[in-house]
Amino acid sequence: MKDESAPCHTVTTATLELGIDIGKLERAFQIDAPFTVSAFLQRMGRTGRRGLPPEMRFVFREEPVEDRAPLPELIPWKLLQGIAIVTLYAEDRFVEPPRHISYPFSLLYHQTMAILSYSGELLPSELARRVLSLSVFSDISQNIFRDFLKHLIGIGHIEPTAEGGLIVGVKAEKVVNNYKFFATFKENEEFSVHCGSEELGTVVAPPPVGERLAIAGRVWDIKDIDIRKKQVFVTPVKGVVPAYFGLCPGDIHTRVLEKMRDILFSDKSYPFLRPGAANRLDEARRLAKLSKMGESRLVSLGGDAWCLFPWLGTYAFMACERIIKIKLGGKADIKYVESSKPYFIEFKSGHTRDELILMLREAAREEFDAETLIFPREEPAFDKYDEFVPEALLKRHFAHDVLDIKGAKKMLSELE
């Protein structure tokens, strides 16, 4: 790639997005839309060096849609997302702000073990002082850290001494003394997927228990996950589900979804679209107008089928979906809740539109503990050292740092 005397075409994952200068790169091609404006800028920033202008092209793929496909499957979501990301930067100069994380427990493990490793024996009070004085842990209390240390002692990663101090435990030595310990980001780990005694294949970062997974040409309900043995246990179900690549398909900001909504319901043209993309956008706009998507976020799909278009970012969308499943599913005759994150939520209910909107608003006004939005037997471990974090603290991190309950409640309370 550095040899400028010969043309070179390179196919890559996001690996080449950051921190690399590969010479005279003329243009970049993006398959589908990136998830964030920052990723778009990073990838386009690989080009435009050595006196050349930056150039990036988007290629959108669509599978043929069945004649009787429901409304949500007829909208070109990735095309809208690509247009939104480009215009958010070109017109608004918007780039996603950093997210505040209150409970970074994986990092807490890393820093605790790193400080113990280079300092040797420390009294618990001194260890707490050194760790909790780091600004990133400002929301972690002494009591939380005390429980955290007790857990690490219980699993043998920290050992108390006769003098009352703490040292790195034998079971943690192979973790701390490995060169990979220095990096806090997680490498991809494959989970094997099992139905009974049959192994179906492998996935990276499976969805939580209660969600669905597409693998081996079929759709499966996830019944259990063993994060330590890296195993997922499933049973077959009917239906379709989009391919799943981690906790959620990208950290998509609510501003991106709001811009997508503006694009769909406006008549503005975009000169950077090729004819095929422009025609597809016009077609989607006609469909949205005919279906009255712009009049309400809750749209009838006929009979007892409904679709909610939240127009929320990934983490507010996830909270909204869980409010519907957990808070309303059992008591409001709402069932068969399925979603395509973060675009739409489909479900079935015999209630009228007004009744459904009233129930959704009431659910938004209800005061509840954020951790009640975690599914039974769900162990939300996604960061590098989460396997060494107590389950209760993992749930706290997921409920308070991942799920955007405030954003979900605001949208539901304002339903038309």
Side-chain angles (χ1 to χ4, degrees):
M1 293 179 70
K2 285 182 174 293
D3 182 1
E4 298 180 5
S5 63
C8 177
H9 298 80
T10 302
V11 180
T12 178
T13 64
T15 302
L16 295 189
E17 178 180 318
L18 295 170
I20 184 171
D21 181 0
I22 47 180
K24 190 177 179 180
L25 188 62
E26 294 183 35
R27 63 185 61 90
F29 288 82
Q30 164 80 41
I31 302 298
D32 291 334
F35 297 130
T36 63
V37 177
S38 58
F40 158 61
L41 294 175
Q42 287 285 356
R43 295 168 192 182
M44 187 171 68
R46 301 304 96 199
T47 69
R49 304 185 180 192
R50 312 295 193 269
L52 295 173
E55 181 179 340
M56 185 169 181
R57 304 188 185 194
F58 296 81
V59 180
F60 297 99
R61 308 159 296 165
E62 282 192 328
E63 296 293 333
V65 180
E66 296 182 5
D67 293 338
R68 301 184 64 181
L71 169 65
E73 296 179 19
L74 301 177
I75 303 297
W77 298 105
K78 294 297 183 182
L79 175 61
L80 292 175
Q81 186 173 312
I83 299 171
I85 283 174
V86 171
T87 54
L88 275 173
Y89 182 73
E91 298 175 1
D92 303 340
R93 285 296 186 265
F94 170 80
V95 179
E96 295 83 3
R99 296 176 64 239
H100 174 70
I101 304 298
S102 297
Y103 302 112
F105 291 120
S106 176
L107 185 62
L108 182 66
Y109 173 87
H110 180 271
Q111 292 298 291
T112 299
M113 301 309 295
I115 289 172
L116 267 185
S117 179
Y118 74 71
S119 299
E121 182 178 350
L122 289 174
L123 292 173
S125 58
E126 177 61 16
L127 178 60
R129 187 191 66 78
R130 294 195 190 185
V131 173
L132 298 184
S133 62
L134 300 173
S135 61
V136 71
F137 303 131
S138 60
D139 293 324
I140 295 178
S141 67
Q142 293 275 355
N143 288 337
I144 291 176
F145 189 62
R146 184 183 301 111
D147 293 339
F148 186 69
L149 291 181
K150 288 180 180 178
H151 174 77
L152 295 183
I153 292 172
I155 63 175
H157 280 233
I158 289 179
E159 294 180 2
T161 66
E163 292 75 22
L166 300 174
I167 58 174
V168 174
V170 174
K171 291 187 177 180
E173 288 181 354
K174 62 180 181 181
V175 177
V176 174
N177 294 332
N178 189 303
Y179 72 94
K180 293 183 178 181
F181 178 71
F182 293 102
T184 58
F185 58 84
K186 185 177 183 180
E187 298 176 346
N188 284 342
E189 292 182 316
E190 291 190 338
F191 286 67
S192 58
V193 182
H194 303 264
C195 179
S197 59
E198 181 184 5
E199 182 173 335
L200 305 173
T202 61
V203 295
V204 175
V209 172
E211 296 281 353
R212 290 185 172 182
L213 176 71
I215 193 173
R218 295 191 62 180
V219 178
W220 312 82
D221 263 339
I222 297 183
K223 298 300 182 183
D224 197 12
I225 298 177
D226 189 328
I227 63 170
R228 289 158 187 85
K229 294 183 179 180
K230 305 296 184 290
Q231 293 178 328
V232 181
F233 300 93
V234 299
T235 56
V237 292
K238 293 182 179 180
V240 296
V241 67
Y244 192 92
F245 299 102
L247 169 62
C248 52
D251 183 7
I252 305 177
H253 197 277
T254 291
R255 280 284 298 274
V256 175
L257 272 296
E258 290 172 345
K259 179 64 75 172
M260 289 169 62
R261 188 172 191 251
D262 293 343
I263 291 166
L264 183 62
F265 300 133
S266 75
D267 57 3
K268 182 178 178 179
S269 60
Y270 300 93
F272 53 82
L273 294 182
R274 293 180 64 84
N279 291 336
R280 186 70 180 91
L281 176 59
D282 290 341
E283 178 187 330
R285 284 170 166 173
R286 286 193 296 270
L287 179 63
K289 187 174 182 179
L290 287 172
S291 62
K292 300 182 178 180
M293 279 179 64
E295 296 180 11
S296 176
R297 297 174 192 252
L298 183 63
V299 176
S300 172
L301 300 181
D304 63 349
W306 297 88
C307 185
L308 179 67
F309 299 95
W311 303 108
L312 293 173
T314 302
Y315 301 125
F317 181 98
M318 291 173 62
C320 178
E321 180 185 13
R322 286 168 181 251
I323 288 173
I324 293 173
K325 282 185 175 181
I326 296 173
K327 298 298 180 183
L328 291 178
K331 61 183 181 181
D333 188 32
I334 293 177
K335 51 191 176 182
Y336 304 116
V337 181
E338 297 184 2
S339 70
S340 180
K341 298 179 178 65
Y343 310 122
F344 59 85
I345 301 171
E346 296 177 281
F347 60 89
K348 291 189 176 182
S349 174
H351 290 287
T352 66
R353 179 197 306 275
D354 289 344
E355 290 171 340
L356 286 170
I357 289 177
L358 181 61
M359 288 186 290
L360 290 168
R361 284 177 173 175
E362 290 176 349
R365 297 191 194 103
E366 179 187 344
E367 294 295 329
F368 56 81
D369 187 336
E371 294 181 32
T372 61
L373 293 186
I374 297 177
F375 295 117
R377 295 187 292 116
E378 180 180 5
E379 191 174 353
F382 303 100
D383 294 323
K384 184 172 182 179
Y385 298 109
D386 279 353
E387 63 181 291
F388 308 129
V389 176
E391 183 178 338
L393 296 187
L394 287 180
K395 291 182 176 180
R396 177 177 297 198
H397 164 64
F398 182 75
H400 295 277
D401 291 330
V402 177
L403 297 180
D404 180 4
I405 297 174
K406 182 179 180 181
K409 282 189 165 192
K410 183 177 186 299
M411 184 279 297
L412 292 173
S413 66
E414 297 172 354
L415 276 176
E416 304 88 340

